Amino acid sequence: MRFINPKTDYAFKKIFGSEQSQDILISFLNAVLYEGNSTIRELEILNPHLGPRIRGFKDTYLDIKATIIDSHGQTETVIIEMQVLNVEGFQKRILYNAAKTYSNQLAIGDGYTDLQPVIALTIVDFEMFPELDQLISRFVLKERTYLTDYSSIYDIELVFIELPKFQKELPDLETLMDKWLYFLKAARKLESVPPSMEAVPEIQKAFAIANQANLNAQELDELEHQEIFIQDQRNSIRKALSQGIEQGIEQGIEQGKLAAQRAIAQQLLGVLDDEAISRTTGLDLEAIAQLRIDNSLNS
């Protein structure tokens, strides 16, 4: 068997956000948000389009949007994104989508007490917080100095899973979260469903959806195009970084050379005329004249 890459946009939505994926999404969210406990009682997958309530505001689209009801009857909205490239403005977009989802709950006449919490869960295929050694980071509203919670309920919570920090191999998988994250990272490289993961019905179902044999030619073509696009973007980022480093070195050398020329010229101002200083240091006459002006102003 060959499995599609769950980290591509199309595959991620198909596995976790389609009509037949409710039980898969419940298992995944219980694993990564609630330490594997059966906290979610009900779940409804919604249209991920966030249309603006006010003319002129920005339209946005999410990978998956769902409402969940926990074992205490509390209703929350979860927005889920899979992000493989660390593009400019990404962090602000996450916060924008979370705030928009939170505010869009209210219709005309609704009271603010009707607002339900929003969790923005983002799985990233790069290190987003290299200064943190934890796999999952959760951000909420707190007082800056004393870290007191803004309210007893986390109205907006930003949760990030950094896949590169998950280093466990198949024999090391212990928790339900381990198995789901391994599925995201390694499914495309597997040729069969590992027995330890097959024991979880929802993961077995996710593998079945990800099986290339169950996809039509159009779906496979879409996936291939997305893989090519991601690889092209990664190559572009690498090239830009490489060129930036080379340009930085060249600029540093030039700046160091200029500083040395100016320092030597400074010592020769009272000894040689401008043309002689220019021949000695390589500075042009205009630069040397400016040095004389600066000296006279500072004296």
Side-chain angles (χ1 to χ4, degrees), residues 254-288:
E254 287 300 317
Q255 289 171 358
K257 180 181 176 182
L258 178 61
Q261 289 172 317
R262 288 173 60 87
I264 294 170
Q266 186 75 36
Q267 298 299 317
L268 297 176
L269 288 178
V271 179
L272 302 175
D273 60 27
D274 289 3
E275 289 187 1
I277 295 173
S278 178
R279 288 194 300 271
T280 304
T281 63
L283 287 177
D284 58 38
L285 292 173
E286 184 179 350
I288 295 167

Side-chain angles (χ1 to χ4, degrees), residues 2 11-12 74 116 127 132 172 181 203 221 227 243 268:
R2 293 188 64 189
F12 187 80
Q74 173 69 47
Q116 301 293 340
E127 284 204 8
L132 303 178
D172 306 319
L181 296 186
I203 296 181
D221 186 60
E227 291 272 21
Q243 289 178 339
L268 297 176

Side-chain angles (χ1 to χ4, degrees), residues 4-169:
I4 59 178
N5 182 2
K7 292 183 287 188
T8 60
D9 181 65
Y10 183 87
F12 187 80
K13 290 178 183 177
K14 185 173 181 65
I15 294 166
F16 294 98
S18 54
E19 290 182 5
Q20 74 270 34
S21 301
Q22 276 199 6
D23 53 341
I24 293 174
L25 189 55
I26 287 174
S27 176
F28 178 72
L29 293 178
N30 276 333
V32 300
L33 294 178
Y34 304 108
E35 300 180 341
N37 298 313
S38 300
T39 299
I40 300 174
R41 191 179 73 197
E42 297 178 36
L43 179 144
E44 180 185 3
I45 296 174
L46 306 172
N47 179 0
H49 173 224
L50 296 179
R53 289 288 180 89
I54 301 173
R55 182 180 298 174
F57 273 55
K58 191 177 181 65
D59 269 20
T60 48
Y61 295 85
L62 309 166
D63 286 345
I64 301 168
K65 180 182 178 184
T67 57
I68 61 176
I69 301 176
D70 65 22
S71 54
H72 302 291
Q74 173 69 47
T75 300
E76 296 180 310
T77 299
V78 181
I79 56 178
I80 308 160
E81 290 198 58
M82 178 74 228
Q83 184 73 20
V84 296
L85 298 170
N86 191 4
V87 296
E88 186 177 4
F90 160 65
Q91 288 178 281
K92 289 186 179 293
R93 191 190 80 220
I94 296 299
L95 183 57
Y96 176 82
N97 283 340
K100 191 173 184 181
T101 301
Y102 186 73
S103 63
N104 274 1
Q105 295 179 69
L106 295 185
I108 296 174
D110 290 344
Y112 294 115
T113 55
D114 295 329
L115 288 167
Q116 301 293 340
V118 169
I119 300 174
L121 170 62
T122 308
I123 304 106
V124 297
D125 199 26
F126 50 86
E127 284 204 8
M128 191 168 177
F129 308 107
E131 70 278 13
L132 303 178
D133 60 2
Q134 58 201 42
L135 172 64
I136 299 181
S137 303
R138 307 182 76 140
F139 297 87
V140 295
L141 291 172
K142 287 182 176 287
E143 200 281 329
R144 176 178 287 185
T145 303
Y146 296 98
L147 301 181
T148 304
D149 290 330
Y150 181 72
S151 66
S152 58
I153 297 175
Y154 293 150
D155 295 285
I156 296 179
E157 183 176 7
L158 307 182
V159 183
F160 297 92
I161 302 175
E162 299 170 83
L163 286 181
K165 292 181 179 179
F166 181 75
Q167 299 293 329
K168 290 188 178 182
E169 298 298 333

